[in-house]
Amino acid sequence: MHMAIETVVSFVFYILLMIAIGIWSYRKTNTIDDYVLGGRSLNGWVTALSAQASDMSGWLLLGLPGAAYASGLSAMWIGIGLAIGTYLNWQFVAKRLRRYTEVVNSITISDYFENRFKDRTHLLRIISAFLILTFFLFYTASGLVAGGKLFEGTFGMDYKIALFVGAFVIISYTFLGGYLAVSWTDFVQGSLMFLALLFVPIVTITQIGGIGELWNHLGALNPDLLDSTKTVSYDDAKEIFWVTTNTNFDLIAVLSLMAWGLGYFGQPHILVRFMGIRSAKEIKKSRLIAVTWVVLALWGALFVGFIGIAYHQAGITGFENGLADQEQVFIQMVQILFNPWVAGILLAAILAAIMSTIDSQLLVSSSALAEDFYKALFRKNASQKELIWVSRGAVILISIIAIYLAMSGGKVLDLVAYAWAGFGAAFGPAIIFSLFWNRTTRNGVLFGMIVGGLTVIVWKNYTSFGLNSLFPNFNFARWYEIIPGFILSALTIFIVSLIDNKPSQEILNEFEQSQKALVNE
C-alpha cells in the first residue's frame, strides 16, 4: 500500500504536467494552422522526439520487451527493421515532404495529396481521409486498451475505470492545445521513455554482474536464446518455457519482422511532424536525434526482456516461476527492483509512451474531419475559429468511438500491427512516388491507396485469398500483410501513372520548384 501511494503521487504529478502544457498551448493556438501544425514553428529537438515518441507507443515498453523475454535474441529483427525504416524516412522523405507541402500550401496529408495532384474531384482527399479515420480508430482503441491494462495491473483498478481515467487526460490536452500541446507533451514523454529504457537496463545489468553474466544466464537456460536464427517459444498457459521450436533460419519470419520498417513511410502521425518543423534546414539535426533515440531505445527495450530471462534463470523473486504475461516484464522489473518513488516515475514512462501515440492519432484524425471533410466539402468559407472548434469537437467524437471499441479489451499488438500495415501500404508508396517521380498521376495514387489498403484488409482476414493452396512452399499466411500491400500499391501507382495522361504543366512546375528548394539548401 505504501508503494502504491507513492506511485500514485508520481503519476498524478506527471498527469498534471501534461494538462498544464495543454493549457499553455491553448493560449497560443489562434488559427487552424496553429492547431494542426503548430504554425510550423517547432524546433529540431521537439520535432525529433515528438515524432519518435508518437511512433513507438506503449509497444516499446510492453510489447518489444515481452517479445525479447519470450524468444531471446531473435526478437532483434523487428528492432533492426524499425531502426532502418526510421533512418530512411528521415533521410529521404522528411525534407522533401516539408518543402513540397509548403509549395502546395498544405497542412494535412489529405490536403497534400489533393493539392499535389490538383484533384478537383476531391476523391484523393476523401479516400485518404477515410483511410486515416478507419485505421486510426483501431489504432487509438489499442492505445486506450494498453492504458487501461497499465492502470489495472499497477493499481488493481477496474479496467473500465482505468480506461476512462487515461482517456480523460489525453483528450484534455489534445482538445485544448492541438499540435503544440501534442508535440511538447510528446517531447517530455519521449525524453522520459528514453531515460527509462537506458536507466533500467544499465542498473539491472550491473546488479546481475555485467553483460557476460547476462549471456551466461541465457545460455544456461537455452543456448538457442543467444542465436538470432533459431526460433524459441514461450507460452505460460501451455507451460512452454523457452523451448526451441525451429533450428532452421526462418527467412519468412525475419522478413515479416523487418517489414515493420516499411510502415514508416505512410504513418500520418509521423509525417505531419515533418510538415510542422519550422525549417527544412533543421531536418538534418532532427534526423540525428531521432535515429539515435530510436536505436538506443529499441536496444534498451530488448535488453529489458533479456534481463527478465536472466532473472528467471537466477531465481530472483517475482521471476522464478516465469511471467504469466510476458508483456508485464518491464512493469514487474520496475516494481520489484526499484524504490516506490523511482518505480512511479518509470511506470509513468509506460503511460507516456501510450499517451504520446494516442494524442497524435487523435490530432491527425480530428484534422482529417475538420480540414478534409468539414471545410473541403461543406463549409469552404469556415472561419479559423470555427475550424479549431470543429477539430476539438472531432477529438471528442473520435475518442468516444475509440473508447467504445476499447471497452471489450483485446490484443493490443494485433490492432497495432493491423493499423500500421494499413497506413504503410495505403500511404507509403503514394508518399514516395509523389515526392520522387514527376510522372506520378492523380489516378495512380488514388488506385494505389485503394489497392494497398484493401490488400492489407483481405490478406489479414482471408488467409492470403487461397494463395497457399497454389504456392504451398511460400506459406503466404505467415507473411506480414504490409509486404504484399506495399508491393501491390507501388506496382499499381507505377502502372496506372504510365498509362494515364501526363501531369499538367502546373503540376510539373511545382514539382521542379520543390526540387530546386532542396538543391539550394
mmCIF file with all atom_site columns, all heavy atoms in Angstrom, residues 285-303:
data_model
loop_
_atom_site.group_PDB
_atom_site.id
_atom_site.type_symbol
_atom_site.label_atom_id
_atom_site.label_alt_id
_atom_site.label_comp_id
_atom_site.label_asym_id
_atom_site.label_entity_id
_atom_site.label_seq_id
_atom_site.pdbx_PDB_ins_code
_atom_site.Cartn_x
_atom_site.Cartn_y
_atom_site.Cartn_z
_atom_site.occupancy
_atom_site.B_iso_or_equiv
_atom_site.pdbx_formal_charge
_atom_site.auth_seq_id
_atom_site.auth_comp_id
_atom_site.auth_asym_id
_atom_site.auth_atom_id
_atom_site.pdbx_PDB_model_num
ATOM 1   N N   . LYS A 1 285 ? 19.591 17.909 -38.268 1.00 0.00 ? 285 LYS A N   1
ATOM 2   C CA  . LYS A 1 285 ? 19.772 17.767 -36.817 1.00 0.00 ? 285 LYS A CA  1
ATOM 3   C C   . LYS A 1 285 ? 18.708 16.836 -36.231 1.00 0.00 ? 285 LYS A C   1
ATOM 4   O O   . LYS A 1 285 ? 19.020 15.966 -35.408 1.00 0.00 ? 285 LYS A O   1
ATOM 5   C CB  . LYS A 1 285 ? 19.698 19.140 -36.150 1.00 0.00 ? 285 LYS A CB  1
ATOM 6   C CG  . LYS A 1 285 ? 19.836 19.093 -34.635 1.00 0.00 ? 285 LYS A CG  1
ATOM 7   C CD  . LYS A 1 285 ? 19.836 20.485 -34.020 1.00 0.00 ? 285 LYS A CD  1
ATOM 8   C CE  . LYS A 1 285 ? 18.471 21.131 -34.066 1.00 0.00 ? 285 LYS A CE  1
ATOM 9   N NZ  . LYS A 1 285 ? 18.438 22.441 -33.367 1.00 0.00 ? 285 LYS A NZ  1
ATOM 10  N N   . SER A 1 286 ? 17.477 17.014 -36.676 1.00 0.00 ? 286 SER A N   1
ATOM 11  C CA  . SER A 1 286 ? 16.391 16.178 -36.169 1.00 0.00 ? 286 SER A CA  1
ATOM 12  C C   . SER A 1 286 ? 16.623 14.709 -36.505 1.00 0.00 ? 286 SER A C   1
ATOM 13  O O   . SER A 1 286 ? 16.322 13.822 -35.703 1.00 0.00 ? 286 SER A O   1
ATOM 14  C CB  . SER A 1 286 ? 15.052 16.635 -36.760 1.00 0.00 ? 286 SER A CB  1
ATOM 15  O OG  . SER A 1 286 ? 14.702 17.915 -36.299 1.00 0.00 ? 286 SER A OG  1
ATOM 16  N N   . ARG A 1 287 ? 17.138 14.448 -37.705 1.00 0.00 ? 287 ARG A N   1
ATOM 17  C CA  . ARG A 1 287 ? 17.397 13.064 -38.120 1.00 0.00 ? 287 ARG A CA  1
ATOM 18  C C   . ARG A 1 287 ? 18.388 12.391 -37.188 1.00 0.00 ? 287 ARG A C   1
ATOM 19  O O   . ARG A 1 287 ? 18.191 11.251 -36.758 1.00 0.00 ? 287 ARG A O   1
ATOM 20  C CB  . ARG A 1 287 ? 17.906 13.045 -39.561 1.00 0.00 ? 287 ARG A CB  1
ATOM 21  C CG  . ARG A 1 287 ? 18.219 11.636 -40.071 1.00 0.00 ? 287 ARG A CG  1
ATOM 22  C CD  . ARG A 1 287 ? 18.613 11.640 -41.528 1.00 0.00 ? 287 ARG A CD  1
ATOM 23  N NE  . ARG A 1 287 ? 19.861 12.333 -41.773 1.00 0.00 ? 287 ARG A NE  1
ATOM 24  C CZ  . ARG A 1 287 ? 19.984 13.407 -42.534 1.00 0.00 ? 287 ARG A CZ  1
ATOM 25  N NH1 . ARG A 1 287 ? 18.926 13.931 -43.118 1.00 0.00 ? 287 ARG A NH1 1
ATOM 26  N NH2 . ARG A 1 287 ? 21.163 13.975 -42.725 1.00 0.00 ? 287 ARG A NH2 1
ATOM 27  N N   . LEU A 1 288 ? 19.470 13.087 -36.867 1.00 0.00 ? 288 LEU A N   1
ATOM 28  C CA  . LEU A 1 288 ? 20.475 12.522 -35.963 1.00 0.00 ? 288 LEU A CA  1
ATOM 29  C C   . LEU A 1 288 ? 19.878 12.236 -34.592 1.00 0.00 ? 288 LEU A C   1
ATOM 30  O O   . LEU A 1 288 ? 20.096 11.168 -34.007 1.00 0.00 ? 288 LEU A O   1
ATOM 31  C CB  . LEU A 1 288 ? 21.654 13.490 -35.832 1.00 0.00 ? 288 LEU A CB  1
ATOM 32  C CG  . LEU A 1 288 ? 22.766 13.070 -34.856 1.00 0.00 ? 288 LEU A CG  1
ATOM 33  C CD1 . LEU A 1 288 ? 23.398 11.762 -35.298 1.00 0.00 ? 288 LEU A CD1 1
ATOM 34  C CD2 . LEU A 1 288 ? 23.817 14.169 -34.749 1.00 0.00 ? 288 LEU A CD2 1
ATOM 35  N N   . ILE A 1 289 ? 19.106 13.177 -34.081 1.00 0.00 ? 289 ILE A N   1
ATOM 36  C CA  . ILE A 1 289 ? 18.467 12.999 -32.769 1.00 0.00 ? 289 ILE A CA  1
ATOM 37  C C   . ILE A 1 289 ? 17.494 11.824 -32.806 1.00 0.00 ? 289 ILE A C   1
ATOM 38  O O   . ILE A 1 289 ? 17.503 10.962 -31.916 1.00 0.00 ? 289 ILE A O   1
ATOM 39  C CB  . ILE A 1 289 ? 17.729 14.293 -32.358 1.00 0.00 ? 289 ILE A CB  1
ATOM 40  C CG1 . ILE A 1 289 ? 18.716 15.446 -32.187 1.00 0.00 ? 289 ILE A CG1 1
ATOM 41  C CG2 . ILE A 1 289 ? 16.939 14.065 -31.063 1.00 0.00 ? 289 ILE A CG2 1
ATOM 42  C CD1 . ILE A 1 289 ? 18.050 16.803 -32.098 1.00 0.00 ? 289 ILE A CD1 1
ATOM 43  N N   . ALA A 1 290 ? 16.647 11.782 -33.836 1.00 0.00 ? 290 ALA A N   1
ATOM 44  C CA  . ALA A 1 290 ? 15.609 10.745 -33.931 1.00 0.00 ? 290 ALA A CA  1
ATOM 45  C C   . ALA A 1 290 ? 16.192 9.356  -34.070 1.00 0.00 ? 290 ALA A C   1
ATOM 46  O O   . ALA A 1 290 ? 15.771 8.412  -33.382 1.00 0.00 ? 290 ALA A O   1
ATOM 47  C CB  . ALA A 1 290 ? 14.686 11.049 -35.114 1.00 0.00 ? 290 ALA A CB  1
ATOM 48  N N   . VAL A 1 291 ? 17.167 9.206  -34.955 1.00 0.00 ? 291 VAL A N   1
ATOM 49  C CA  . VAL A 1 291 ? 17.753 7.880  -35.186 1.00 0.00 ? 291 VAL A CA  1
ATOM 50  C C   . VAL A 1 291 ? 18.508 7.402  -33.947 1.00 0.00 ? 291 VAL A C   1
ATOM 51  O O   . VAL A 1 291 ? 18.422 6.227  -33.564 1.00 0.00 ? 291 VAL A O   1
ATOM 52  C CB  . VAL A 1 291 ? 18.673 7.901  -36.422 1.00 0.00 ? 291 VAL A CB  1
ATOM 53  C CG1 . VAL A 1 291 ? 19.419 6.573  -36.565 1.00 0.00 ? 291 VAL A CG1 1
ATOM 54  C CG2 . VAL A 1 291 ? 17.868 8.186  -37.682 1.00 0.00 ? 291 VAL A CG2 1
ATOM 55  N N   . THR A 1 292 ? 19.237 8.303  -33.308 1.00 0.00 ? 292 THR A N   1
ATOM 56  C CA  . THR A 1 292 ? 19.937 7.940  -32.068 1.00 0.00 ? 292 THR A CA  1
ATOM 57  C C   . THR A 1 292 ? 18.938 7.499  -31.004 1.00 0.00 ? 292 THR A C   1
ATOM 58  O O   . THR A 1 292 ? 19.145 6.481  -30.311 1.00 0.00 ? 292 THR A O   1
ATOM 59  C CB  . THR A 1 292 ? 20.758 9.140  -31.544 1.00 0.00 ? 292 THR A CB  1
ATOM 60  O OG1 . THR A 1 292 ? 21.705 9.532  -32.544 1.00 0.00 ? 292 THR A OG1 1
ATOM 61  C CG2 . THR A 1 292 ? 21.492 8.779  -30.267 1.00 0.00 ? 292 THR A CG2 1
ATOM 62  N N   . TRP A 1 293 ? 17.860 8.271  -30.857 1.00 0.00 ? 293 TRP A N   1
ATOM 63  C CA  . TRP A 1 293 ? 16.807 7.931  -29.886 1.00 0.00 ? 293 TRP A CA  1
ATOM 64  C C   . TRP A 1 293 ? 16.248 6.536  -30.163 1.00 0.00 ? 293 TRP A C   1
ATOM 65  O O   . TRP A 1 293 ? 16.124 5.707  -29.256 1.00 0.00 ? 293 TRP A O   1
ATOM 66  C CB  . TRP A 1 293 ? 15.697 8.975  -29.966 1.00 0.00 ? 293 TRP A CB  1
ATOM 67  C CG  . TRP A 1 293 ? 14.632 8.880  -28.913 1.00 0.00 ? 293 TRP A CG  1
ATOM 68  C CD1 . TRP A 1 293 ? 14.545 9.620  -27.772 1.00 0.00 ? 293 TRP A CD1 1
ATOM 69  C CD2 . TRP A 1 293 ? 13.481 8.016  -28.908 1.00 0.00 ? 293 TRP A CD2 1
ATOM 70  N NE1 . TRP A 1 293 ? 13.420 9.268  -27.062 1.00 0.00 ? 293 TRP A NE1 1
ATOM 71  C CE2 . TRP A 1 293 ? 12.745 8.286  -27.724 1.00 0.00 ? 293 TRP A CE2 1
ATOM 72  C CE3 . TRP A 1 293 ? 12.999 7.044  -29.778 1.00 0.00 ? 293 TRP A CE3 1
ATOM 73  C CZ2 . TRP A 1 293 ? 11.568 7.622  -27.409 1.00 0.00 ? 293 TRP A CZ2 1
ATOM 74  C CZ3 . TRP A 1 293 ? 11.819 6.358  -29.456 1.00 0.00 ? 293 TRP A CZ3 1
ATOM 75  C CH2 . TRP A 1 293 ? 11.121 6.659  -28.286 1.00 0.00 ? 293 TRP A CH2 1
ATOM 76  N N   . VAL A 1 294 ? 15.923 6.278  -31.412 1.00 0.00 ? 294 VAL A N   1
ATOM 77  C CA  . VAL A 1 294 ? 15.289 5.008  -31.776 1.00 0.00 ? 294 VAL A CA  1
ATOM 78  C C   . VAL A 1 294 ? 16.221 3.828  -31.529 1.00 0.00 ? 294 VAL A C   1
ATOM 79  O O   . VAL A 1 294 ? 15.818 2.819  -30.931 1.00 0.00 ? 294 VAL A O   1
ATOM 80  C CB  . VAL A 1 294 ? 14.842 5.036  -33.256 1.00 0.00 ? 294 VAL A CB  1
ATOM 81  C CG1 . VAL A 1 294 ? 14.535 3.628  -33.763 1.00 0.00 ? 294 VAL A CG1 1
ATOM 82  C CG2 . VAL A 1 294 ? 13.614 5.906  -33.411 1.00 0.00 ? 294 VAL A CG2 1
ATOM 83  N N   . VAL A 1 295 ? 17.452 3.924  -32.001 1.00 0.00 ? 295 VAL A N   1
ATOM 84  C CA  . VAL A 1 295 ? 18.386 2.807  -31.854 1.00 0.00 ? 295 VAL A CA  1
ATOM 85  C C   . VAL A 1 295 ? 18.619 2.477  -30.376 1.00 0.00 ? 295 VAL A C   1
ATOM 86  O O   . VAL A 1 295 ? 18.527 1.308  -29.962 1.00 0.00 ? 295 VAL A O   1
ATOM 87  C CB  . VAL A 1 295 ? 19.720 3.127  -32.554 1.00 0.00 ? 295 VAL A CB  1
ATOM 88  C CG1 . VAL A 1 295 ? 20.769 2.069  -32.211 1.00 0.00 ? 295 VAL A CG1 1
ATOM 89  C CG2 . VAL A 1 295 ? 19.530 3.185  -34.066 1.00 0.00 ? 295 VAL A CG2 1
ATOM 90  N N   . LEU A 1 296 ? 18.903 3.486  -29.561 1.00 0.00 ? 296 LEU A N   1
ATOM 91  C CA  . LEU A 1 296 ? 19.168 3.241  -28.143 1.00 0.00 ? 296 LEU A CA  1
ATOM 92  C C   . LEU A 1 296 ? 17.906 2.757  -27.411 1.00 0.00 ? 296 LEU A C   1
ATOM 93  O O   . LEU A 1 296 ? 17.983 1.867  -26.552 1.00 0.00 ? 296 LEU A O   1
ATOM 94  C CB  . LEU A 1 296 ? 19.717 4.509  -27.486 1.00 0.00 ? 296 LEU A CB  1
ATOM 95  C CG  . LEU A 1 296 ? 21.111 4.949  -27.956 1.00 0.00 ? 296 LEU A CG  1
ATOM 96  C CD1 . LEU A 1 296 ? 21.522 6.246  -27.258 1.00 0.00 ? 296 LEU A CD1 1
ATOM 97  C CD2 . LEU A 1 296 ? 22.141 3.856  -27.692 1.00 0.00 ? 296 LEU A CD2 1
ATOM 98  N N   . ALA A 1 297 ? 16.750 3.343  -27.747 1.00 0.00 ? 297 ALA A N   1
ATOM 99  C CA  . ALA A 1 297 ? 15.505 2.932  -27.083 1.00 0.00 ? 297 ALA A CA  1
ATOM 100 C C   . ALA A 1 297 ? 15.137 1.499  -27.442 1.00 0.00 ? 297 ALA A C   1
ATOM 101 O O   . ALA A 1 297 ? 14.702 0.717  -26.579 1.00 0.00 ? 297 ALA A O   1
ATOM 102 C CB  . ALA A 1 297 ? 14.377 3.885  -27.457 1.00 0.00 ? 297 ALA A CB  1
ATOM 103 N N   . LEU A 1 298 ? 15.305 1.123  -28.712 1.00 0.00 ? 298 LEU A N   1
ATOM 104 C CA  . LEU A 1 298 ? 14.987 -0.243 -29.135 1.00 0.00 ? 298 LEU A CA  1
ATOM 105 C C   . LEU A 1 298 ? 15.893 -1.258 -28.446 1.00 0.00 ? 298 LEU A C   1
ATOM 106 O O   . LEU A 1 298 ? 15.426 -2.293 -27.960 1.00 0.00 ? 298 LEU A O   1
ATOM 107 C CB  . LEU A 1 298 ? 15.117 -0.373 -30.654 1.00 0.00 ? 298 LEU A CB  1
ATOM 108 C CG  . LEU A 1 298 ? 14.019 0.290  -31.496 1.00 0.00 ? 298 LEU A CG  1
ATOM 109 C CD1 . LEU A 1 298 ? 14.389 0.283  -32.972 1.00 0.00 ? 298 LEU A CD1 1
ATOM 110 C CD2 . LEU A 1 298 ? 12.680 -0.407 -31.294 1.00 0.00 ? 298 LEU A CD2 1
ATOM 111 N N   . TRP A 1 299 ? 17.201 -0.965 -28.386 1.00 0.00 ? 299 TRP A N   1
ATOM 112 C CA  . TRP A 1 299 ? 18.102 -1.886 -27.716 1.00 0.00 ? 299 TRP A CA  1
ATOM 113 C C   . TRP A 1 299 ? 17.832 -1.927 -26.218 1.00 0.00 ? 299 TRP A C   1
ATOM 114 O O   . TRP A 1 299 ? 17.935 -2.993 -25.586 1.00 0.00 ? 299 TRP A O   1
ATOM 115 C CB  . TRP A 1 299 ? 19.554 -1.505 -28.003 1.00 0.00 ? 299 TRP A CB  1
ATOM 116 C CG  . TRP A 1 299 ? 20.002 -1.987 -29.347 1.00 0.00 ? 299 TRP A CG  1
ATOM 117 C CD1 . TRP A 1 299 ? 20.257 -1.238 -30.449 1.00 0.00 ? 299 TRP A CD1 1
ATOM 118 C CD2 . TRP A 1 299 ? 20.193 -3.350 -29.746 1.00 0.00 ? 299 TRP A CD2 1
ATOM 119 N NE1 . TRP A 1 299 ? 20.599 -2.041 -31.517 1.00 0.00 ? 299 TRP A NE1 1
ATOM 120 C CE2 . TRP A 1 299 ? 20.572 -3.340 -31.105 1.00 0.00 ? 299 TRP A CE2 1
ATOM 121 C CE3 . TRP A 1 299 ? 20.093 -4.576 -29.087 1.00 0.00 ? 299 TRP A CE3 1
ATOM 122 C CZ2 . TRP A 1 299 ? 20.838 -4.510 -31.817 1.00 0.00 ? 299 TRP A CZ2 1
ATOM 123 C CZ3 . TRP A 1 299 ? 20.356 -5.742 -29.800 1.00 0.00 ? 299 TRP A CZ3 1
ATOM 124 C CH2 . TRP A 1 299 ? 20.732 -5.708 -31.142 1.00 0.00 ? 299 TRP A CH2 1
ATOM 125 N N   . GLY A 1 300 ? 17.464 -0.800 -25.630 1.00 0.00 ? 300 GLY A N   1
ATOM 126 C CA  . GLY A 1 300 ? 17.100 -0.798 -24.218 1.00 0.00 ? 300 GLY A CA  1
ATOM 127 C C   . GLY A 1 300 ? 15.899 -1.693 -23.957 1.00 0.00 ? 300 GLY A C   1
ATOM 128 O O   . GLY A 1 300 ? 15.878 -2.468 -22.989 1.00 0.00 ? 300 GLY A O   1
ATOM 129 N N   . ALA A 1 301 ? 14.890 -1.602 -24.824 1.00 0.00 ? 301 ALA A N   1
ATOM 130 C CA  . ALA A 1 301 ? 13.685 -2.421 -24.676 1.00 0.00 ? 301 ALA A CA  1
ATOM 131 C C   . ALA A 1 301 ? 14.012 -3.908 -24.819 1.00 0.00 ? 301 ALA A C   1
ATOM 132 O O   . ALA A 1 301 ? 13.491 -4.753 -24.076 1.00 0.00 ? 301 ALA A O   1
ATOM 133 C CB  . ALA A 1 301 ? 12.643 -2.000 -25.713 1.00 0.00 ? 301 ALA A CB  1
ATOM 134 N N   . LEU A 1 302 ? 14.868 -4.245 -25.786 1.00 0.00 ? 302 LEU A N   1
ATOM 135 C CA  . LEU A 1 302 ? 15.257 -5.642 -25.974 1.00 0.00 ? 302 LEU A CA  1
ATOM 136 C C   . LEU A 1 302 ? 15.993 -6.174 -24.738 1.00 0.00 ? 302 LEU A C   1
ATOM 137 O O   . LEU A 1 302 ? 15.732 -7.288 -24.276 1.00 0.00 ? 302 LEU A O   1
ATOM 138 C CB  . LEU A 1 302 ? 16.143 -5.781 -27.210 1.00 0.00 ? 302 LEU A CB  1
ATOM 139 C CG  . LEU A 1 302 ? 15.447 -5.605 -28.570 1.00 0.00 ? 302 LEU A CG  1
ATOM 140 C CD1 . LEU A 1 302 ? 16.481 -5.504 -29.687 1.00 0.00 ? 302 LEU A CD1 1
ATOM 141 C CD2 . LEU A 1 302 ? 14.501 -6.766 -28.842 1.00 0.00 ? 302 LEU A CD2 1
ATOM 142 N N   . PHE A 1 303 ? 16.888 -5.355 -24.183 1.00 0.00 ? 303 PHE A N   1
ATOM 143 C CA  . PHE A 1 303 ? 17.662 -5.808 -23.025 1.00 0.00 ? 303 PHE A CA  1
ATOM 144 C C   . PHE A 1 303 ? 16.791 -5.980 -21.781 1.00 0.00 ? 303 PHE A C   1
ATOM 145 O O   . PHE A 1 303 ? 17.092 -6.814 -20.930 1.00 0.00 ? 303 PHE A O   1
ATOM 146 C CB  . PHE A 1 303 ? 18.821 -4.853 -22.751 1.00 0.00 ? 303 PHE A CB  1
ATOM 147 C CG  . PHE A 1 303 ? 20.086 -5.250 -23.471 1.00 0.00 ? 303 PHE A CG  1
ATOM 148 C CD1 . PHE A 1 303 ? 20.393 -4.691 -24.699 1.00 0.00 ? 303 PHE A CD1 1
ATOM 149 C CD2 . PHE A 1 303 ? 20.940 -6.196 -22.929 1.00 0.00 ? 303 PHE A CD2 1
ATOM 150 C CE1 . PHE A 1 303 ? 21.553 -5.057 -25.372 1.00 0.00 ? 303 PHE A CE1 1
ATOM 151 C CE2 . PHE A 1 303 ? 22.096 -6.571 -23.589 1.00 0.00 ? 303 PHE A CE2 1
ATOM 152 C CZ  . PHE A 1 303 ? 22.407 -6.008 -24.825 1.00 0.00 ? 303 PHE A CZ  1
#
